[in-house]
Amino acid sequence: MPKSVRRDDLVAYLDRYLRVAEIPDSSPNGLQVQGAERVARLAFAVDVSVKTIRAAAKARANFLVVHHGLWWGRHEQIVGNMHARIAALFHNDMSLYAAHLPLDCHPAVGNNVELARLLSLRVAEPFGEYKGVMIGVVASSTPAIRLTTLIEKIERKLTTEVSLLGFGPATVKRIAIVSGSGASLVEAAARARCDTLLTGETSHAAYHAAEEAGINVIFAGHYASETVGLEALQRHLRKRFGLAAEFVSAPTGY
């Protein structure tokens, strides 16, 4: 008989492991939609959408973990796209679990520590305060690495195409990392004595801040920069519970 765990046990473990009650966020983290009582197969996706729910169901998963969940700090009517997503979850008796900032800042499987690990950088200190919680990291390269080499490594490891504001040095050593949308932290990165900021989503507003601060800003793509934590969490849960798991790839181009 295939291995399975109680849904509530899995949720309780995730809540503790990711410290969802301790991390302030604009998204309600944790179980957003309740599905089958027992979980036999997990799926992971950056975003919840009809597409990712259907792909998870095709993979025979009945518990979907996402970074970007259904709700973002406001009441929404269950109509249109929201109705379609929830209907697809109910139809497949599938639970939906969201982990936004708790996954970004996690010290073992977080997006930012994983980005540092993939790029062979050493995490030096926390970075990027949000409501009293540091969501990113400062990482260092020893010896210093050429900016072009770092970009090539990012593009290869994340299967992405980087955009660059190249106002810093050609050889870099101290890199602030905030996955997703972190362009507003250019000045904070400069104050932290970083020569480079690595984030996801591009930003017009970051141009002059980066130029005036004299640092590089690398945009690796919002989607691409936030796959790595989910993949690390997938590996962790597979080892912890022995469950089959699948990552659902649904890139947005952003």
Side-chain angles (χ1 to χ4, degrees), residues 3 20 28 33 61 68 76-77 82 118 125 157 169 203 229 243-244:
K3 186 163 186 176
V20 297
V33 176
H68 301 134
E76 289 196 37
Q77 294 173 290
M82 183 65 76
L118 281 172
E125 61 194 68
K157 294 286 188 179
S203 168
L243 295 175

Side-chain angles (χ1 to χ4, degrees), residues 58-200:
K58 186 175 181 180
R60 305 187 310 282
N62 63 350
F63 194 101
L64 175 61
V65 180
V66 298
H67 188 51
H68 301 134
L70 290 168
W71 291 285
W72 294 91
R74 61 189 176 91
H75 168 76
E76 289 196 37
Q77 294 173 290
I78 311 301
V79 300
N81 291 342
M82 183 65 76
H83 173 268
R85 292 168 185 172
I86 292 175
L89 289 164
F90 284 167
H91 177 73
N92 291 288
D93 203 11
M94 185 182 299
S95 294
L96 177 72
Y97 189 98
H100 186 233
L101 293 185
L103 186 60
D104 285 327
C105 70
H106 196 275
V109 298
N111 283 317
N112 297 304
V113 296
E114 272 297 295
L115 285 169
R117 184 189 66 78
L118 281 172
L119 299 172
S120 302
L121 303 173
R122 182 181 64 84
V123 173
E125 61 194 68
F127 171 77
E129 183 178 346
Y130 177 81
K131 293 187 178 181
V133 176
M134 305 301 271
I135 58 174
V137 297
V138 171
S140 62
S141 176
T142 306
I145 184 172
R146 288 193 60 80
L147 179 63
T148 52
T149 302
L150 178 62
I151 288 171
E152 288 168 2
K153 185 178 280 191
I154 292 168
E155 292 185 329
R156 184 174 71 255
K157 294 286 188 179
L158 298 184
T159 316
T160 191
E161 186 174 338
V162 156
S163 296
L164 173 68
L165 297 177
F167 297 118
T171 300
V172 301
K173 185 175 181 63
R174 191 168 161 87
I175 300 133
I177 305 176
V178 177
S179 65
S181 183
S184 63
L185 294 168
V186 168
E187 292 181 63
R191 289 194 299 271
R193 307 181 314 282
C194 295
D195 48 54
T196 302
L197 169 65
L198 168 59
T199 188

